[in-house]
């Protein structure tokens, strides 16, 4: 295979299309019903909601479209870098910047300044903070700015930050190989999600009060790119498998069983934080 030739993989277009529609309808649920997922009742989801919402229940999994995008992104970024003649990180940063940042900056301008969404005035520190954190793509680190200008922009910030740590992933793979690297990034993401799972369950389990202390997870860790590191890296690993024309035992789990698992995990509070990772594995 000539890695320097442009490669267009039509199946990725179809996967992206599914993800776009799924995310779109997910946000439509929130606009229509005021909530986009089944509420919690103790440790389980509460199905006591309007019948119309139950009919549209598959769309409540639309957040999984972001997991799809992350896996596809890892695949495409790694593919682009591997087939490039010049593998310098300066060129990598330059290509990523001019491909992503200009349209992102335009979108910020539209949603922040143009009516009916926003206003041309910056009439206080709050709006200035919103604008500046979004321009630097760090708005995901603070609660007031996380969903500030546009709720969808948090994933773009994380995506850009994943690009920034891609050289670290590449170095780990070069030094340790994919197996050990996936174990390392897997421990990082799973640990952060497990931390969130424990903290979300302790307040509703009085029997554990005092036995297990609630240790707040710093926001800058829980919403950092490291919380999605394995999910994104799966795409890069899959790209290497594709280029080597080999399969991997990691992706030989029966698709229907993996799909059932991904659909059930979000319904149970202790496992819900792992739903993003489950859909990433399903995508891979």
């Amino acid at each position: 295979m000539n890695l320097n030739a442009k490669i267009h993989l039509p199946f990725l277009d179809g996967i992206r299309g599914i993800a776009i529609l799924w995310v779109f309808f997910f946000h439509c649920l929130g606009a229509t019903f005021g909530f986009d997922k089944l509420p919690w009742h103790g440790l389980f989801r509460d199905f006591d909601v309007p019948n119309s919402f139950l009919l549209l229940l598959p769309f409540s999994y639309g957040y999984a479209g972001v997991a799809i995008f992350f896996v596809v992104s890892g695949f495409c970024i790694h593919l682009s870098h591997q087939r490039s003649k010049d593998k310098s990180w300066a060129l990598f940063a330059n290509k990523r910047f001019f491909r992503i940042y200009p349209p992102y900056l335009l979108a910020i301008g539209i949603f922040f300044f143009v009516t009916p969404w926003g206003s041309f005035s910056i009439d206080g520190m709050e709006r200035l903070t919103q604008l500046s954190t979004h321009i630097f793509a760090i708005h995901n680190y603070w609660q007031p700015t996380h969903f500030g200008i546009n709720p969808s922009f948090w994933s773009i910030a994380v995506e850009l930050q994943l690009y920034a740590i891609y050289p670290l992933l590449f170095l780990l793979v070069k030094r340790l190989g994919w197996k050990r690297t996936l174990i390392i990034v897997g421990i990082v993401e799973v640990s952060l999600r497990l931390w969130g799972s424990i903290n979300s369950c302790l307040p509703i389990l009085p029997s554990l009060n005092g036995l297990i202390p609630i240790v707040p997870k710093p926001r800058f860790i829980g919403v950092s790119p490291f919380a999605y590191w394995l999910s994104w890296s799966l795409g890069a690993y899959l790209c290497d498998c594709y280029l080597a024309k080999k399969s991997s035992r990691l992706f030989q789990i029966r698709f229907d069983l993996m799909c059932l698992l991904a659909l059930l995990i979000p319904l149970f509070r202790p496992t819900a934080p792992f739903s993003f990772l489950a859909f990433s594995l399903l995508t891979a």
Side-chain angles (χ1 to χ4, degrees), residues 76-78 80-82 84 86-99 160 162-167 232:
C76 292
I77 294 301
H78 193 60
S80 175
H81 186 67
Q82 288 293 80
S84 176
D86 184 352
K87 289 184 168 57
S88 70
W89 294 116
L91 177 63
F92 171 82
N94 184 65
K95 288 170 62 177
R96 299 277 69 80
F97 179 85
F98 285 103
R99 184 178 179 88
L160 291 171
L162 283 165
Y163 294 170
I165 64 173
Y166 171 65
W232 194 88

Side-chain angles (χ1 to χ4, degrees), residues 35-216:
F35 58 96
D36 45 35
K37 293 186 284 289
L38 292 171
W40 288 110
H41 182 70
L43 292 177
F44 297 93
R45 294 284 183 183
D46 188 358
F47 285 82
D48 186 19
V49 294
N51 291 333
S52 53
F53 186 89
L54 293 177
L55 289 173
L56 301 172
L57 189 60
F59 297 135
S60 68
Y61 290 89
Y63 61 88
V66 180
I68 296 174
F69 279 125
F70 277 25
V71 175
V72 172
S73 170
F75 185 101
C76 292
I77 294 301
H78 193 60
L79 179 65
S80 175
H81 186 67
Q82 288 293 80
R83 75 177 192 217
S84 176
K85 289 183 180 180
D86 184 352
K87 289 184 168 57
S88 70
W89 294 116
L91 177 63
F92 171 82
N94 184 65
K95 288 170 62 177
R96 299 277 69 80
F97 179 85
F98 285 103
R99 184 178 179 88
I100 301 295
Y101 195 74
Y104 167 65
L105 200 60
L106 175 62
I108 290 176
I110 291 174
F111 282 98
F112 187 82
F113 290 111
V114 180
T115 55
W117 300 286
S119 167
F120 279 105
S121 64
I122 301 178
D123 51 5
M125 184 57 67
E126 181 180 351
R127 281 178 62 78
L128 181 60
T129 301
Q130 288 284 356
L131 182 60
S132 59
T133 55
H134 278 74
I135 287 176
F136 288 104
I138 55 173
H139 54 278
N140 54 309
Y141 290 103
W142 294 276
Q143 184 67 41
T145 60
H146 190 105
F147 298 118
I149 294 177
N150 184 304
S152 302
F153 286 173
W154 74 267
S155 61
I156 299 178
V158 174
E159 188 80 44
L160 291 171
Q161 292 156 25
L162 283 165
Y163 294 170
I165 64 173
Y166 171 65
L168 175 58
L169 175 70
F170 194 86
L171 178 63
L172 287 172
V173 172
K174 189 175 181 180
R175 294 284 182 89
L176 305 175
W178 270 112
K179 182 178 180 180
R180 292 180 179 177
T181 298
L182 289 178
I183 290 174
I184 291 172
V185 300
I187 289 174
V188 172
E189 179 169 341
V190 170
S191 297
L192 292 176
R193 296 190 179 280
L194 181 61
W195 192 351
S197 171
I198 293 173
N199 281 351
S200 68
C201 293
L202 287 179
I204 61 172
L205 294 173
S207 59
L208 295 180
N209 286 347
L211 298 178
I212 304 177
I214 298 179
V215 180

Side-chain angles (χ1 to χ4, degrees), residues 3-18:
L3 296 183
N4 296 317
K6 285 191 175 182
I7 302 174
H8 178 245
L9 305 175
F11 71 88
L12 290 181
D13 296 335
I15 293 175
R16 286 192 186 101
I18 292 171

